[in-house]
Amino acid sequence: MLVDNVGDVTISNDGATILSLLEVEHPAGRIFVDLAQKQDKEVGDGTTSVVVIAAELLRRANELVKMKIHPTTIITGYRFACREAVKFMTEQLSIKVDSLGREALINCAKTSMSSKIIGSDDDLFAPMAVDAMLAVKTINNRGETKYPVKAVNVLKAHGKSARESIFVKGYALNCTVASQAMKTRIPNAKIACLDMNLQKTRMHMGVHIVIDDPSQLEDIRKRESDITLERVRKILAAGANVILTTKGIDDLCLKEFVEAGAMAVRRCKKEDLKRIAKATGATLVASLANLEGDETFEPTLLGTAEEVVQERISDDELILVKGTKVVNSSSIILRGANDYMLDEMERALHDTLSIIKRTLESGTVVPGGGAVETALNIYLENFATTLESREQLAMAEFAAALLVIPKQLAVNAAKDATDLVAKLRSYHSAAQNAPTGDRKKVFMRYGLDLLKGEVRDNVTAGVLEPTVSKVRSLKSAFEAAVSLLRIDDAIQCAPEQKEERDPHGH
């Protein structure tokens, strides 16, 4: 639980969230904060483990420096170990998702959720997250298949339990129509996204109009109303039947919209409108003025969708934009007891969606539960003995540092870490020494089962992680450790001490 200086409370176990909220003074500590944020941006998950591995690599490098081994030697050894580890992981440990099918995606999602608040309800959230990501599949100009996480809109609604959360096809807006007289369903929608006020135009501050005839006053008032009405008519004339704006709409314009049979929604979030504009092919318009100084609204600025409908979902009215033409979109509506819980659920879901995206885009997975780290530990230890230089020591320490992950997993599950890790290492050692075709080769997939406190085949058990996540976290941890190892001395400029003047002038 983190309480900031204003008194806002954040409850989280997401590494990047915790580190970004801490005010870290130490320069080396800041590198770790950046490391977690970079991992969150690049992969979306594995933020805690990357910091744990980097810290362990540094701790062990420090021991080697005390043994009079030069940092350059350690860095060379670490770099060599990292390269070999990545090579071994991609060639020996990774499994193609195609051979495992949709189940693999759900299992990756469950693995990512297991340490989060929604871990106990993973049977509901994992398929929901997979469906949401598969619904937003897009192919870009270069012919690459992409799954944008931002195309999945996550809405939070108070009340009920987490299991009442639902997945909706289409982009959900947490708004309602501006007037009860409007239609609540518009098929073949032409959507105008506006970032402007559709209220009666008022004179700007400091503008004075001097009149000599009281009847002119009425004309001025009428013109004020007409300016906005003309704008509304131009938008409607372009063929718009759904108008979404970030600002307000007053009664005068509402009447115009109701008579035209259009749906108008006011006070939408700007980021929502940007996403809807991207999904429907619309342009977010901030002003109707063109280069000639006139006000026009072109039909090309409109976006299209199969239908826009207002639906009642649980206790709230939502507007759903279904069948967007350019990018498909989907929404997940989370339910929960309070704000803190909903925020943490959203963070957990973001990590899960990112993991599914990485799995779909990279197409390979590795067994989780400490299997990769233990396999690399055995492989690098054996590999280190083939080196004839001092780098051997650095490589062996790199191998030992990786065991911090299975050890920590066992400790978190209240199991005997030393016993479990020893058992896991013996399995992996047998697998790597076994000849090709031996049934012991399957021991490569063995990881921890933290519920029963034993070792099992994690591919069969469905504990999977995308290869890209492991590779990135290993490389990032290595780079962070090396960037600190290169430092010989820290020179700090102390702030200039100002003499305190006596206010009384004594």
Side-chain angles (χ1 to χ4, degrees):
M1 180 190 277
L2 298 145
V3 184
D4 65 7
N5 49 13
V6 189
D8 285 346
V9 179
T10 308
I11 300 172
S12 179
N13 75 342
D14 179 49
T17 309
I18 294 170
L19 287 174
S20 63
L21 290 170
L22 296 179
E23 286 188 14
V24 182
E25 290 293 322
H26 199 284
R30 283 194 200 144
I31 289 179
F32 283 94
V33 175
D34 289 346
L35 174 67
Q37 285 169 343
K38 184 179 139 198
Q39 176 77 1
D40 195 37
K41 209 171 178 179
E42 289 269 321
V43 182
D45 198 15
T47 46
T48 318
S49 44
V50 73
V51 174
V52 170
I53 294 173
E56 188 67 14
L57 286 174
L58 264 182
R59 191 176 70 78
R60 290 177 179 276
N62 193 29
E63 299 292 326
L64 290 174
V65 171
K66 284 178 185 168
M67 286 161 58
K68 298 283 184 290
I69 292 172
H70 198 276
T72 311
T73 311
I74 301 170
I75 290 168
T76 314
Y78 273 10
R79 181 176 290 114
F80 196 45
C82 183
R83 195 182 304 137
E84 284 300 321
V86 170
K87 191 173 160 193
F88 180 76
M89 210 188 307
T90 46
E91 288 176 7
Q92 304 281 334
L93 294 171
S94 62
I95 307 152
K96 285 223 176 306
V97 178
D98 310 340
S99 58
L100 297 171
R102 178 189 153 91
E103 276 303 305
L105 294 175
I106 293 177
N107 286 333
C108 280
K110 284 184 177 176
T111 308
S112 169
M113 284 176 191
S114 59
S115 62
K116 308 278 195 303
I117 190 170
I118 53 180
S120 53
D121 297 318
D122 59 5
D123 56 325
L124 169 79
F125 284 105
M128 189 188 284
V130 171
D131 288 340
M133 279 318 278
L134 289 173
V136 298
K137 176 181 177 181
T138 52
I139 295 170
N140 66 7
N141 305 335
R142 280 174 284 180
E144 298 166 343
T145 307
K146 292 284 176 196
Y147 295 87
V149 172
K150 283 189 174 172
V152 179
N153 187 25
V154 179
L155 287 179
K156 296 175 286 192
H158 283 248
K160 301 208 177 176
S161 71
R163 294 197 69 85
E164 307 283 330
S165 302
I166 52 170
F167 163 67
V168 184
K169 277 203 167 183
Y171 199 96
L173 270 175
N174 207 357
C175 308
T176 54
V177 290
S179 159
Q180 294 303 314
M182 284 178 182
K183 289 182 181 176
T184 53
R185 179 183 294 275
I186 303 260
N188 297 327
K190 297 271 186 293
I191 303 169
C193 297
L194 309 176
D195 182 19
M196 52 195 270
N197 224 341
L198 292 180
Q199 286 172 329
K200 200 167 108 175
T201 320
R202 291 194 177 85
M203 287 294 166
H204 292 293
M205 291 289 283
V207 174
H208 293 281
I209 299 177
V210 181
I211 55 168
D212 43 24
D213 180 5
S215 63
Q216 288 174 318
L217 200 63
E218 198 54 48
D219 292 342
I220 291 169
R221 285 203 185 120
K222 189 170 184 306
R223 183 69 196 128
E224 279 183 347
S225 314
D226 286 351
I227 288 173
T228 314
L229 278 177
E230 279 171 21
R231 285 179 184 166
V232 169
R233 284 171 190 147
K234 278 173 185 160
I235 293 166
L236 289 171
N241 52 15
V242 176
I243 292 89
L244 309 174
T245 179
T246 54
K247 309 261 172 60
I249 304 174
D250 65 6
D251 296 346
L252 196 70
C253 301
L254 281 182
K255 178 173 174 285
E256 198 76 22
F257 286 133
V258 171
E259 285 173 0
M263 180 194 275
V265 183
R266 56 187 165 192
R267 311 252 179 256
C268 303
K269 284 187 187 163
K270 195 166 181 179
E271 60 189 67
D272 277 340
L273 281 199
K274 279 182 180 169
R275 288 182 191 169
I276 287 176
K278 196 173 179 186
T280 58
T283 308
L284 188 59
V285 180
S287 159
L288 297 186
N290 61 12
L291 295 174
E292 280 77 45
D294 302 325
E295 291 201 333
T296 53
F297 190 85
E298 300 291 327
T300 49
L301 301 172
L302 296 174
T304 48
E306 279 169 23
E307 72 169 347
V308 176
V309 56
Q310 177 172 307
E311 283 185 12
R312 186 173 194 81
I313 291 174
S314 63
D315 310 339
D316 298 321
E317 295 273 355
L318 297 175
I319 285 182
L320 300 177
V321 182
K322 294 181 178 176
T324 49
K325 291 285 185 286
V326 183
V327 181
N328 287 329
S329 45
S330 56
S331 303
I332 291 174
I333 297 157
L334 294 176
R335 308 304 304 268
N338 53 30
D339 273 347
Y340 310 124
M341 191 170 164
L342 284 169
D343 288 345
E344 180 62 4
M345 280 167 71
E346 187 184 18
R347 279 191 287 270
L349 200 61
H350 172 265
D351 285 6
T352 306
L353 291 171
S354 303
I355 283 295
I356 297 167
K357 170 193 165 80
R358 294 288 167 213
T359 311
L360 283 164
E361 287 179 9
S362 66
T364 56
V365 289
V366 288
V372 171
E373 287 81 7
T374 317
L376 290 176
N377 167 265
I378 300 288
Y379 174 70
L380 292 175
E381 265 187 9
N382 294 339
F383 196 90
T385 53
T386 62
L387 298 178
E388 295 175 2
S389 58
R390 286 178 163 208
E391 277 88 0
Q392 185 191 90
L393 293 167
M395 201 166 192
E397 290 298 329
F398 189 98
L402 292 174
L403 282 183
V404 72
I405 297 287
K407 277 180 188 165
Q408 195 58 52
L409 286 173
V411 169
N412 288 354
K415 300 283 185 273
D416 184 348
T418 319
D419 182 43
L420 271 178
V421 172
K423 198 184 286 183
L424 195 55
R425 289 189 69 210
S426 72
Y427 271 90
H428 279 277
S429 180
Q432 289 181 28
N433 294 329
T436 316
D438 193 328
R439 65 184 189 82
K440 282 187 181 173
K441 275 287 179 196
V442 84
F443 290 165
M444 286 272 236
R445 301 168 160 196
Y446 272 48
L448 300 175
D449 175 4
L450 296 173
L451 294 172
K452 295 179 184 166
E454 55 190 40
V455 178
R456 64 167 178 198
D457 182 345
N458 269 350
V459 175
T460 320
V463 180
L464 303 168
E465 295 180 64
T467 315
V468 80
S469 161
K470 287 284 182 202
V471 170
R472 289 267 169 87
S473 63
L474 204 59
K475 282 183 176 173
S476 303
F478 153 72
E479 280 164 16
V482 163
S483 63
L484 286 171
L485 265 177
R486 285 183 194 281
I487 299 167
D488 295 327
D489 275 311
I491 301 167
Q492 267 189 323
C493 300
E496 197 178 329
Q497 294 292 327
K498 289 183 180 173
E499 291 179 28
E500 281 192 24
R501 297 278 308 275
D502 187 349
H504 301 293
H506 294 316

